[in-house]
Amino acid sequence: MNNTEKLSKFRNALSKFVEFDALEWEIFCAHIQFSTLKKKEYFATEGKVCTDMGFIASGGVRYYYLKDGVEITGYFSFEHDFVSSYKSFLTGEPCLNNIQALEETELILISKDNIHALQNHPKLAYKMERFGRLMAEYYICCYEDRVTAFITQTAEERYLDMERTAKALFQKIPQHYIANFLGITPVSLSRIRKRTLLQKA
Amino acid sequence: MNNTEKLSKFRNALSKFVEFDALEWEIFCAHIQFSTLKKKEYFATEGKVCTDMGFIASGGVRYYYLKDGVEITGYFSFEHDFVSSYKSFLTGEPCLNNIQALEETELILISKDNIHALQNHPKLAYKMERFGRLMAEYYICCYEDRVTAFITQTAEERYLDMERTAKALFQKIPQHYIANFLGITPVSLSRIRKRTLLQKA
């Protein structure tokens, strides 16, 4: 994908939150960078501070924790999503998780320093605060959905929800990562899939 | 507690995010309300839209879900915290959970309409956006901690964390709610407590 296409996708994703006029967009674009992760390369790693917020122009990433040497998958993000280890990015504390590319992933990055620069830019200060608020509120809703799912749903119910809301993406994720994300073995996942297929038949 | 004391606590809690000068504070205070919940009264109920954000001047609340008629405790908030069913408040969708007072709870409320009015007030627009961003970012960090705990910790580890970080509050919450919050029976909780007391002895 060329950079013009990436920027057009990015501007479109941002427009969910705020619209930038031509001059504002020019200033904004002077503060971003293009980057590509190869499959299995890391966007963020445990113990290091995550200093970038990324927009995924193509590809996808997996968020995971390591506990006693075992990977525990926490989340996935794909094309048109934003990616960051948010708490680390916001607080400057080291990451507790890892974010790894599931496949070759094209990104647009904004560093924390550049976000600060834009928040202090006289032409953009108000809009950047508004953008930041709306984006943070959007992610509060995502996190609340995650917490609600953890508290109220079984692995099977979370599987069905995932299949219903993200079918296309779902098919891109290796099965063992989905099982890991749901907190079950690949064998249990395969059993749930068979059962739900039978129920639909 | 009299209203002057409540306002002073509130202004202090807000100052973590932004400082208001005298005129700004006067405008802000024209948009709030005082309210008291009796023990067991509800701040928000499943199926209804939560239209207020509250500041807890005294007391505490429990967030819980109902699944197949069974209560599942999701969270607690106490004095100096904010309280809302955030996703419902932000999106206007009905709440999925209930928020109930654990004891008599004194609140300062701002309605969503009044937050909008303040966000559109020429004197306060920028500061309200900044306040909203910083507060939403703060809650993203809280939610991320919750998700991390769900994914990486056992009930016992979450109990120990809770005891360490919120000891004083911890003693105010009835044991069966703590057990419910940790997803274990009161008997298991009592077993964990005995074990950790022995380890400390």
Side-chain angles (χ1 to χ4, degrees), chain A residues 86-87 90-91 93 132-133 136-137 140 143, chain B residues 13 16-17 75 77-83 86 130-146:
Chain A
Y86 292 106
K87 186 174 178 186
L90 295 171
T91 62
E93 293 169 15
R133 171 176 73 81
E137 289 179 352
I140 281 185
Y143 272 113
Chain B
K16 263 202 306 197
F17 306 114
Y75 206 62
S77 293
F78 292 97
E79 204 172 301
H80 305 156
D81 275 341
F82 292 86
V83 52
Y86 292 106
R130 188 171 169 81
F131 164 56
R133 171 176 71 83
L134 293 168
M135 182 152 162
E137 289 179 352
Y138 172 79
Y139 281 100
I140 281 185
C141 295
C142 296
Y143 272 114
E144 197 169 303
D145 287 344
R146 282 285 282 153

Side-chain angles (χ1 to χ4, degrees), chain A residues 67 129 133 143-144 152, chain B residues 67 129 133 143-144 152:
Chain A
K67 186 176 185 186
E129 291 296 343
R133 171 176 73 81
Y143 272 113
E144 198 169 303
T152 63
Chain B
K67 186 178 184 184
E129 290 295 343
R133 171 176 71 83
Y143 272 114
E144 197 169 303
T152 64

Side-chain angles (χ1 to χ4, degrees), chain B residues 43-97:
Chain B
F43 179 84
T45 44
E46 186 181 340
K48 288 192 188 154
V49 177
C50 176
T51 54
D52 287 304
M53 166 77 69
F55 169 75
I56 303 178
S58 75
V61 299
R62 178 173 71 103
Y63 294 62
Y64 71 87
Y65 296 85
L66 269 178
K67 186 178 184 184
D68 305 327
V70 177
E71 292 182 6
I72 308 174
T73 300
Y75 206 62
F76 302 98
S77 293
F78 292 97
E79 204 172 301
H80 305 156
D81 275 341
F82 292 86
V83 52
S84 192
S85 187
Y86 292 106
K87 187 176 176 185
S88 173
F89 179 78
L90 295 171
T91 61
E93 293 168 15
C95 293
L96 298 176
N97 59 357

Side-chain angles (χ1 to χ4, degrees), chain A residues 35-191:
Chain A
S35 168
T36 302
L37 294 175
K38 294 200 191 90
K39 183 173 176 171
K40 302 259 180 191
E41 256 192 299
Y42 286 90
F43 179 84
T45 46
E46 185 181 340
K48 289 192 187 154
V49 177
C50 177
T51 54
D52 287 304
M53 167 76 71
F55 168 75
I56 304 177
S58 75
V61 299
R62 177 173 73 103
Y63 294 62
Y64 72 88
Y65 296 85
L66 268 178
K67 186 176 185 186
D68 306 327
V70 177
E71 292 181 6
I72 308 174
T73 300
Y75 206 63
F76 302 97
S77 293
F78 291 96
E79 206 172 302
H80 304 155
D81 275 341
F82 293 87
V83 52
S84 192
S85 187
Y86 292 106
K87 186 174 178 186
S88 173
F89 178 78
L90 295 171
T91 62
E93 293 169 15
C95 293
L96 297 175
N97 59 357
N98 300 280
I99 306 177
Q100 188 185 40
L102 286 162
E103 55 190 311
E104 182 169 294
T105 297
E106 293 177 297
L107 297 162
I108 294 177
L109 302 178
I110 316 185
S111 69
K112 182 144 179 172
D113 287 347
N114 277 336
I115 287 200
H116 278 167
L118 289 167
Q119 281 164 349
N120 290 309
H121 192 290
K123 179 92 183 97
L124 275 175
Y126 169 76
K127 206 164 262 188
M128 284 302 294
E129 291 296 343
R130 187 171 169 81
F131 164 56
R133 171 176 73 81
L134 293 168
M135 182 151 162
E137 289 179 352
Y138 173 80
Y139 280 100
I140 281 185
C141 296
C142 296
Y143 272 113
E144 198 169 303
D145 287 343
R146 282 285 282 155
V147 170
T148 304
F150 272 118
I151 293 175
T152 63
Q153 295 186 314
T154 62
E156 180 156 346
E157 287 165 337
R158 287 196 282 136
Y159 168 81
L160 291 173
D161 248 21
M162 202 175 163
E163 203 194 23
R164 190 173 47 79
T165 57
K167 200 169 178 71
L169 299 176
F170 203 52
Q171 285 156 350
K172 292 173 76 173
I173 307 172
Q175 291 303 304
H176 64 286
Y177 289 152
I178 294 179
N180 190 263
F181 173 73
L182 295 169
I184 56 180
T185 63
V187 175
S188 301
L189 176 60
S190 144
R191 220 175 283 136

Side-chain angles (χ1 to χ4, degrees), chain B residues 91-111:
Chain B
T91 61
E93 293 168 15
C95 293
L96 298 176
N97 59 357
N98 301 279
I99 305 178
Q100 188 187 38
L102 286 163
E103 54 191 312
E104 181 168 293
T105 298
E106 293 177 296
L107 296 162
I108 294 177
L109 302 179
I110 316 184
S111 69

